[in-house]
Each structure stands twice: as C-alpha cells, then as structure tokens.
Amino acid sequence: MAWVKTAAILNDAHETRQKILSTLGTGFTEVRTTLATLLGLSEAIATGGTWLRENHEALHGKLDRALGEIERLRADCAALSDLVDARTTPPAEAVRRTVPPVAPPLPRPPASPDGTATGADDPARLRRLLRRAAGVSSARLVCHRDTWAFLLEQTACDPHFRAPGPVDDEHEGRVEVTLSGRSLIAVLLSLFRTSQEEDIERLGDLAMAAELYERSADALEHTDSADRYGPQVVIVLDDRAGPAPAEGDEGGAG
C-alpha cells in the first residue's frame, strides 16, 4: 500500500508543478505586454515633445513678427496724428475769415518749343517713371521730418502705398525712409496729381509736390534699369545754402 501513496504524492507534485509553470508563463506574458506598452508610450511622448518644441518655436517667430508690425503701426499712427493736428489747427488769420475770396487759377507750366508739356506736367514722362519705379526694389528718401509728413499725407490713401519700416532719425530734424518700388509708384502718382492743382490757396502744396516729384524723377532717370546690382536709388531733398562771401568780395565780380 506504500507504493500507492507514493504514486499519489508524485502525481499531486506533478500537477502542482504544472500549475506553477503555467502561472509563471502567464505572468511573464503579461510583463512582456506591459513592457511593450510602456515602450510605445515612451516613443509617443518623445514624438509629442518634438511636435511641441517645433510649435513653440513657430509661435515665437509669429510673436516676433507681430511685435514688429505693432511697432511700425505705432510709428505710422504717430505720424498720422501729427498730420491731423497740423490740418485741424487753422491759423488765427484764417479763423477770422468768413467768406474766402475767389482765387484765380494758376498759370499752367510753359510748353517746350515743340508744343509738348514739360516738367511735372508731362503724362508721358510720368508713365516712363512709373515703369522705372516698378522695377525698383527699394529707394532711400532723405528729407526733413515735416517733408516726410507732407509726403505721407499725400500718399496715404493711394492703394499702392505701403507703410515703410522704422523711420531713422538723423541730425537737424532729417529722417531717412526706405520705400518699396510699389510705394514709389504711389508717391509719383500722388505728387503728380497734387502738382496739377490750380487753386492759389494750395500754392505751398503745389510747390512741395512739384519739387518732390522732380527729385524723385531725377533719381529714377539717372538709374540704370539694366544694372540690377547697381547702387540703391536715393532721393534727397536738402538744399544747403552756399558759403557766405568772403570779406571784400561783395559788390559782384570785377
């Protein structure tokens, strides 16, 4: 009877061993599955971190550009505010007027010997200048801040005008502004229209528009359109007075 008990004990031990092995196998399988899931999660986190970093950099770039646009708009608003103040504050003499006098028309510019118009009165010249301005990448304008305010007032409503970047202050009230070729087209068109005014009350506007138009035209006409790598177009409105005559030179030449 002892061998029967021994056989039963061995059989129970075998069954217990099989159960233990089966349980261990199931546990190892679950561990492998969990490790694979964690590995996939780690890769997903790494991918998400790269995406977040790239979007963070893109947002920083957009923010920098937006801040630059805000600075340019602030400068434009300040210039326009100065123009509005200048336009809405009439002189005391003008306030006292009740009925403005009827102004006679201004004489037209003289014609050339062949009968064609000259200077700022020549539409054919304007068309040539517009073609030349369309091929210009940028032009540099140097003038007094008040002159720049006048030019901004004349061109602000033109559909081709684009507000330039920061206006660089120089000495003695001068400013330096960089205009695009498209904005230069707006400048030429606006100044040409103003230079055709015949209202004697706008003599000052006509004089400034005609002079700015001629300076812009001269700068463009002396630009070689075939030289794409030549110097930048520069428009300067700053006529300085000549030196004072030396002592003993008064009274004219001998």
Side-chain angles (χ1 to χ4, degrees):
M1 296 298 293
W3 64 270
V4 174
K5 291 182 181 180
T6 301
I9 292 171
L10 290 175
N11 187 45
D12 292 339
H14 179 72
E15 290 178 357
T16 302
R17 180 173 175 275
Q18 291 298 324
K19 290 179 180 180
I20 292 173
L21 291 176
S22 177
T23 301
L24 288 175
T26 301
F28 282 130
T29 301
E30 292 176 354
V31 169
R32 282 196 299 269
T33 302
T34 302
L35 289 175
T37 302
L38 291 175
L39 181 61
L41 182 60
S42 175
E43 293 175 354
I45 291 173
T47 303
T50 302
W51 178 82
L52 288 174
R53 183 166 54 254
E54 292 174 352
N55 278 270
H56 181 71
E57 294 172 354
L59 287 174
H60 263 292
K62 291 181 179 179
L63 179 59
D64 291 340
R65 289 191 293 272
L67 290 175
E69 291 293 335
I70 291 172
E71 288 299 326
R72 285 192 289 272
L73 288 174
R74 183 180 293 111
D76 292 339
C77 288
L80 288 174
S81 177
D82 292 340
L83 291 176
V84 171
D85 291 341
R87 281 294 182 180
T88 56
T89 306
E93 182 179 352
V95 172
R96 289 194 297 269
R97 293 177 184 170
T98 56
V99 180
V102 178
L106 293 175
R108 305 302 297 170
S112 61
D114 60 359
T116 59
T118 60
D121 195 45
D122 186 359
R125 184 192 187 199
L126 173 63
R127 286 192 290 270
R128 291 193 300 270
L129 292 172
L130 292 176
R131 288 287 302 274
R132 186 65 66 88
V136 171
S137 173
S138 64
R140 183 163 57 95
L141 172 65
V142 180
C143 62
H144 193 275
R145 178 172 289 279
D146 292 344
T147 305
W148 165 240
F150 169 80
L151 188 62
L152 185 63
E153 177 186 355
Q154 297 297 313
T155 57
C157 295
D158 192 284
H160 290 289
F161 184 74
R162 294 294 182 271
V167 177
D168 297 328
D169 287 309
E170 297 188 351
H171 64 285
E172 298 179 356
R174 296 200 318 176
V175 296
E176 180 177 321
V177 186
T178 300
L179 300 173
S180 66
R182 185 176 183 185
S183 291
L184 197 55
I185 288 175
V187 168
L188 292 169
L189 287 171
S190 301
L191 294 178
F192 182 83
R193 285 192 292 266
T194 303
S195 68
Q196 305 306 299
E197 291 286 345
E198 296 185 0
D199 184 0
I200 197 171
E201 297 295 330
R202 298 194 65 192
L203 275 175
D205 290 349
L206 187 149
M208 290 195 68
E211 186 63 24
L212 278 168
Y213 182 87
E214 286 299 324
R215 297 299 177 94
S216 304
D218 184 67
L220 285 170
E221 288 173 342
H222 287 80
T223 301
D224 186 0
S225 60
D227 187 2
R228 299 179 183 274
Y229 301 97
Q232 185 184 35
V233 177
V234 180
I235 304 168
V236 180
L237 192 70
D238 188 4
D239 290 340
R240 302 299 179 96
E247 185 176 355
D249 291 346
E250 299 179 359

